[in-house]
Amino acid sequence: MVMRNTFRKNWVRSLLAIPLFLLGASCNKAGNNDVNQKLIKDYYAAYEKKDWNMLNSLMADGFVFLSPNDDHIDLKTYKERCWPNSASIKKFDIEKLVIDGDDAFVTYNGWTNDGRLFRNTEYFKFKDGKIKENACYFGPGVSYPDNKAAK
């Protein structure tokens, strides 16, 4: 009889623990989503502010960047090839942001200082509160930074 009561108590505790565990996992994921959303917004803000140190502080060790023109380039190469574009960028308007834990997709319209539009979708991977990977997919007909689209 004691064994049955002990089993019943443990079973009830286990049953109650399941939703609490799931709720906790959900809250942690939501917490990561908030952190990762801030990382993304800060990433684009660094370009708008032309602040390399801000951008650099967001990157994880081993960061890689991919695009139709870049195949897993490291942070040093990213700074040499991509960062100079910040001089001609005025702002970003995020149209769609979808975050699932340590993965995110962002579609945005970017505006150059002279009013030209470029549109990209980027896939981010995060690790330990930093950006580990960014894969950029250029929009159709854009070919940034040589965009000739109408203002």
Side-chain angles (χ1 to χ4, degrees), residues 54-123:
M54 179 180 180
L55 186 79
N56 189 42
S57 73
L58 306 172
M59 305 304 197
D61 289 338
F63 168 82
V64 294
F65 179 78
L66 303 90
S67 81
N69 301 329
D70 307 285
D71 184 17
H72 291 87
I73 62 174
D74 63 12
L75 188 58
K76 180 180 181 282
T77 307
Y78 175 84
K79 183 179 183 184
E80 293 167 0
R81 282 191 202 170
C82 304
W83 182 249
N85 292 322
S86 69
S88 63
I89 292 174
K90 181 176 182 178
K91 71 175 189 161
F92 291 93
D93 293 322
I94 295 175
E95 183 176 296
K96 187 74 170 178
L97 173 59
V98 179
I99 301 174
D100 182 23
D102 284 335
D103 298 288
F105 280 96
V106 181
T107 298
Y108 61 81
N109 290 316
W111 299 94
T112 63
N113 293 329
D114 61 357
R116 291 180 293 151
L117 167 69
F118 61 100
R119 181 176 171 84
N120 297 333
T121 294
E122 296 186 353
Y123 169 63

Side-chain angles (χ1 to χ4, degrees), residues 115-133:
R116 291 180 293 151
L117 167 69
F118 61 100
R119 181 176 171 84
N120 297 333
T121 294
E122 296 186 353
Y123 169 63
F124 288 87
K125 287 186 180 184
F126 307 97
K127 183 176 180 184
D128 301 327
K130 301 263 186 171
I131 299 170
K132 180 70 175 174
E133 182 177 307

